[in-house]
Amino acid sequence: MDARWWAVVVLAALPSPGAGGENPEAPPEPWTQLWFFRFLVNAAGYASFMVPGYLLVQYFRRKNYLETGRGLCFPLVKTCVFGNEPKATDEVPLAPRSEPAETSPTWQALKLLFCASGLQVSYLTWGVLQERVMTRSYGATATSPGERFSDSQFLVLMNRVLALIVAGFYCILCKQPRHGAPMYRYSFASLSNVLSSWCQYEALKFVSFPTQVLAKASKVIPVMLMGKLVSRRSYEHWEYLTAGLISIGVSMFLLSSGPEPRSSPATTLSGLILLAGYIAFDSFTSNWQDALFAYKMSSVQMMFGVNFFSCLFTVGSLLEQGALLEGVRFMGRHSEFAAHTLLLSICSGCGQLFIFYTIGQFGAAVFTIIMTLRQAFAILLSCLLYGHTVTVVGGLGVAVVFAALLLRIYARGRLKQRGKKPVPVESSAQKV
């Protein structure tokens, strides 16, 4: 049985005529460019940082460095390996969501419109650019087909650099709780976040953007499974019911919608495997971040810590592969790609700030409703701009998915009103 599954993965990784490309006559890619091989190379690059770091952490712990350490490196080692236990006088409680008594309904409505518009514009633009960068060529002319950018890891780095800068400035300008978590603990969420983002970008080479959006909507299911495995959580019956409805809706969409032009069963299988990897890694990220919030940190501190290690991993891996300069050269050859990459990163960083502000002003329920509607709009926008076709049954499946998501939001709100604390299933610290 193991040999069969390995054969399926290998066959899915092999290129096929026209796989995800605009020119079906193009020669097949060399085996070094296959997604499965690139995934292994990237993972090896991350391991070259994770393994020595893990060994150092274990060494300092065995040596009881917190009690015996001295010298200039002691504060750095303490912060990275042991953390800082916040004192009662050092803690800055996160401000609860509250509104001044004199705030008028009109002002509240304007702020809600501002938040909804900011989230929609940021992430709808981000989705459109993501599909443009990964599925279209640059520099095409009447005599030349142009060239396509294929290094998903470089795009992940671009997003993380700007997010790190935004989070860093926010932490400097706005007072934050005293940081107590050991820095190395961010690396686990960062590693899974980088891998999930890589799978997300890479999957667009094989499946349509609407399929990817529905896969994101259905990640509630693996998040619940990870919650039971990692955090030993229990869930209500309505949560299992809505998860089942989401599964039915996604199945209706996938089974009824025909294959995209110039695709094949092999490329579709590659895309589904990558989407499964995205969901699995992202589910681990959410649950690990929820566990880290036990250190009473703010969402911006979480954003900074995760993106710091993400930049470290991706820069190191790209340098080891010699791909960092190639990505910069591609930007130099195609100014349009450089502009798209910059705007992609800006939308990602600004979207993070809109997330924090919206949750702080209106709560997680309102934010989730806005983002759920954003996913539906993203599917519609992608179909209009890039010509994806959706059948009647597929459209009904999409409606079932989003109806289940809205039902889930409603049920969690009612549960909170009854005084019960709903089980968190997704962290808002890192959305893209």
Side-chain angles (χ1 to χ4, degrees), residues 2-299:
D2 292 339
R4 294 178 184 177
W5 281 107
W6 180 258
V8 169
V9 173
V10 172
L11 287 175
L14 291 175
S16 61
E22 296 174 352
N23 184 11
E25 302 284 333
E29 293 180 329
W31 65 273
T32 54
Q33 294 300 315
L34 303 182
W35 70 263
F36 188 65
F37 178 80
R38 291 199 305 273
F39 177 84
L40 294 179
V41 172
N42 292 345
Y46 307 147
S48 67
F49 290 88
M50 287 287 290
V51 173
Y54 175 79
L55 295 177
L56 279 175
V57 169
Q58 295 303 312
Y59 170 79
F60 286 121
R61 287 185 176 276
R62 284 198 309 269
K63 293 295 184 179
N64 195 21
Y65 188 82
L66 187 61
E67 301 296 333
T68 61
R70 296 290 186 274
L72 295 176
C73 294
F74 177 76
L76 178 63
V77 174
K78 180 183 177 183
T79 301
C80 294
V81 179
F82 301 98
N84 299 291
E85 289 296 330
K87 302 175 183 178
T89 56
D90 293 329
E91 292 187 2
V92 179
L94 298 179
R97 179 172 58 92
S98 60
E99 295 297 329
E102 64 273 10
T103 300
S104 65
T106 303
W107 180 244
Q108 282 289 88
L110 289 175
K111 284 203 298 185
L112 179 59
L113 180 62
F114 171 74
C115 293
S117 301
L119 288 169
Q120 297 291 346
V121 171
S122 296
Y123 285 110
L124 286 177
T125 305
W126 179 83
V128 169
L129 288 174
Q130 181 190 37
E131 187 170 9
R132 168 64 181 89
V133 169
M134 297 306 299
T135 64
R136 298 295 188 271
S137 298
Y138 287 92
T141 62
T143 58
S144 172
E147 57 179 333
R148 180 174 299 174
F149 189 77
S150 60
D151 194 344
S152 301
Q153 186 176 212
F154 184 82
L155 295 176
V156 175
L157 171 62
M158 292 296 99
N159 284 356
R160 299 303 177 262
V161 166
L162 189 61
L164 177 67
I165 295 173
V166 170
F169 275 111
Y170 195 98
C171 289
I172 293 173
L173 298 176
C174 302
K175 190 172 179 62
Q176 302 293 316
R178 186 171 188 266
H179 190 266
M183 286 296 294
Y184 82 91
R185 290 182 64 93
Y186 290 107
S187 63
F188 300 102
S190 177
L191 177 62
S192 60
N193 179 258
V194 167
L195 291 174
S196 68
S197 298
W198 184 89
C199 290
Q200 179 184 14
Y201 279 113
E202 200 73 11
L204 282 176
K205 299 177 182 178
F206 305 100
V207 297
S208 66
F209 185 78
T211 302
Q212 187 191 83
V213 172
L214 281 186
K216 291 182 186 181
S218 64
K219 71 180 180 181
V220 169
I221 302 168
V223 167
M224 290 173 61
L225 294 176
M226 283 287 186
K228 291 187 72 69
L229 295 175
V230 177
S231 306
R232 305 296 181 185
R233 290 174 177 154
S234 59
Y235 298 94
E236 302 286 340
H237 295 296
W238 59 266
E239 294 182 280
Y240 291 108
L241 172 63
T242 53
L245 288 175
I246 291 172
S247 300
I248 293 173
V250 172
S251 300
M252 291 172 61
F253 176 83
L254 294 179
L255 295 177
S256 65
S257 300
E260 290 287 310
R262 301 175 297 278
S263 68
S264 68
T267 60
T268 301
L269 181 58
S270 294
L272 294 179
I273 292 175
L274 287 166
L275 287 178
Y278 159 73
I279 294 173
F281 289 126
D282 194 67
S283 301
F284 176 85
T285 303
S286 299
N287 282 277
W288 191 268
Q289 286 178 327
D290 286 336
L292 277 179
F293 275 119
Y295 286 95
K296 308 299 182 184
M297 69 183 67
S298 69
S299 296

Side-chain angles (χ1 to χ4, degrees), residues 333-363:
R333 291 195 301 270
H334 304 287
S335 59
E336 185 184 9
F337 170 77
H340 287 168
T341 304
L342 178 60
L343 186 55
L344 196 70
S345 301
I346 292 174
C347 290
S348 176
C350 292
Q352 290 284 318
L353 297 182
F354 274 110
I355 287 175
F356 302 142
Y357 184 75
T358 304
I359 293 177
Q361 293 293 319
F362 300 101

